[in-house]
Amino acid sequence: MTDSDVDRYLDRLFDRLAGTGGAGRRALIEVEDHLRTAVSDRVEGGMSREDAEHAAVASFGDVRMVARRLRAGYRRAQFAVAASSAWLVGGLACAVAAASVLLTVADRWWEAMQGPAWGDCLESSPCDPAGETAFLLPVGIALAVVSAVLLLSRRVLQRRALLAPSARRLPALLAVLCALLTPALLTGFGNPLGVNHAVVGGSGPGLFLTVVASAVTTTATVAALGWALLRRRRRVQA
Amino acid sequence: MELRGHLDLMLLNSVRQLGSAHGYAIIVALRDGSDGVFDLPEGTVYPALHRLERAGLVDSDWDTSGPRRRRVYRLTPDGSAALAAKRREWQAFAHGMRALIGPMTAEGLA
């Protein structure tokens, strides 16, 4: 018994999609379903099975062209997802940097209001809140604007189908990164158990900055986890 | 007929009209809905559908209710928004072209 036209077509497509993994396997299943449905329709319309198979394969297109398009799509998709993810991470990094700088400004203003003996404004090493904030405030605002432009433009381009979505695992990766950042911040700013020491005049930043920075990263962790769960829920619902 | 640049609009529109459909049904809808004008090589539709899915404009899942496993496509909210935007672009293009070359008449087509 010889292979039919459809079987031969599928064998050739299988050979040409080698190395494409699950995406190629899925394409093969779809193509097989398509060709067998097309053959059934033509047979029901009065064609012989042999003619129906020949016509179905012919109207599907040259196997080399189909394989080339499928393979090109996978390559472009990988690049597009990587670019979109990098764009998103860049926007978020600018947002985090902006929040960090603006929190520092807030900390300096708070210290200035509390007097010279508060936090890291020591009598031996006085702070210059006005001087520091004059430099930091424009930097923080500029970073916030850049972040907003990056994130909003990405959203607009995505809605207009000009930009791919980010990698599926990106929210989970961001959640892990933020979760690791919290203890890093706490230990980086000094022993958490000794925060009170910093408040009463030891070296290191004040309680305000330490707690707020940790709260920001914790919130970012929760937000990233929520985003990951929401994406998963949408996929399941779909 | 040259369809490059219009295939996404045509596919998104067909998926929206069908609600939820596999590739073969989408291709038949394209061909029948255009009175046979858009009888494109069927093999070009699947890479395009996969691209739209990766762009988040359609979603798909396996339908195992029939005798064969089938990949079924449906429009996502982002896909609906993209379809609306592409329709507006196409209408503006068609309006401009109609103004430029004049309305279609029997004499014009001859």
Side-chain angles (χ1 to χ4, degrees):
Chain A
M1 186 176 163
T2 56
D3 283 345
S4 66
D5 280 358
V6 168
D7 289 332
R8 273 197 298 277
Y9 189 94
L10 291 171
D11 287 346
R12 290 169 62 202
L13 187 60
F14 176 80
D15 290 343
R16 282 176 165 76
L17 290 180
T20 52
R25 197 165 60 245
R26 171 188 152 180
L28 268 174
I29 295 171
E30 284 191 281
V31 173
E32 178 170 13
D33 173 56
H34 178 103
L35 291 175
R36 303 223 184 274
T37 308
V39 170
S40 298
D41 277 3
R42 285 175 167 88
V43 168
E44 280 175 21
M47 262 192 192
S48 70
R49 174 158 289 278
E50 198 174 318
D51 288 347
E53 292 221 357
H54 190 73
V57 164
S59 70
F60 198 79
D62 179 58
V63 71
R64 284 168 299 189
M65 178 272 292
V66 173
R68 194 173 59 242
R69 288 192 182 202
L70 285 167
R71 293 188 78 102
Y74 303 140
R75 276 198 300 274
R76 271 199 302 270
Q78 285 173 337
F79 176 76
V81 166
S84 174
S85 301
W87 191 325
L88 178 61
V89 169
L92 291 175
C94 282
V96 169
S100 168
V101 171
L102 292 175
L103 280 171
T104 306
V105 171
D107 181 54
R108 293 294 178 265
W109 282 346
W110 175 259
E111 286 170 347
M113 282 192 294
Q114 296 303 311
W118 202 90
D120 53 348
C121 294
L122 308 175
E123 286 182 35
S124 57
S125 172
C127 291
D128 176 20
E132 287 180 35
T133 55
F135 168 70
L136 287 176
L137 188 59
V139 171
I141 291 172
L143 281 168
V145 170
V146 170
S147 159
V149 168
L150 282 174
L151 295 175
L152 285 174
S153 60
R154 183 179 177 278
R155 184 67 191 143
V156 168
L157 289 174
Q158 262 194 322
R159 287 189 76 85
R160 295 176 69 87
L162 296 171
L163 192 69
S166 55
R168 195 172 273 191
R169 289 181 184 151
L170 188 65
L173 283 174
L174 285 175
V176 171
L177 188 69
C178 294
L180 290 174
L181 207 57
T182 305
L185 276 174
L186 285 169
T187 50
F189 284 148
N191 180 2
L193 297 175
V195 161
N196 283 335
H197 177 69
V199 177
V200 295
S203 61
L207 178 65
F208 180 84
L209 192 59
T210 308
V211 170
V212 172
S214 306
V216 167
T217 53
T218 306
T219 307
T221 306
V222 172
L225 271 176
W227 180 28
L229 290 172
L230 192 68
R231 277 186 117 183
R232 184 181 162 78
R233 195 175 156 195
R234 278 185 185 163
R235 280 203 304 276
V236 170
Q237 280 177 342
Chain B
M1 178 171 288
E2 177 59 65
L3 295 176
R4 196 174 299 168
H6 307 306
L7 187 58
D8 288 2
L9 169 61
M10 289 156 55
L11 288 175
L12 289 172
N13 194 57
S14 293
V15 174
R16 185 182 67 93
Q17 285 177 340
L18 295 168
S20 171
H22 49 87
Y24 185 77
I26 293 167
I27 291 164
V28 170
L30 264 180
R31 189 175 55 224
D32 295 351
S34 65
D35 293 331
V37 174
F38 300 140
D39 192 9
L40 59 166
E42 295 161 8
T44 59
V45 169
Y46 289 93
L49 280 172
H50 294 181
R51 180 168 42 76
L52 291 175
E53 184 176 3
R54 284 190 294 263
L57 304 184
V58 298
D59 211 343
S60 75
D61 211 347
W62 291 111
D63 174 18
T64 51
S65 59
R68 278 194 300 272
R69 262 203 320 167
R70 290 187 141 170
R71 198 76 185 177
V72 173
Y73 296 88
R74 66 189 71 77
L75 213 57
T76 63
D78 280 355
S80 297
L83 174 60
K86 284 178 185 297
R87 282 171 70 108
R88 280 195 297 275
E89 280 172 21
W90 171 251
Q91 280 161 356
F93 175 80
H95 175 77
M97 192 57 90
R98 206 178 297 120
L100 193 66
I101 66 173
M104 289 301 218
T105 61
E107 301 87 65
L109 289 170

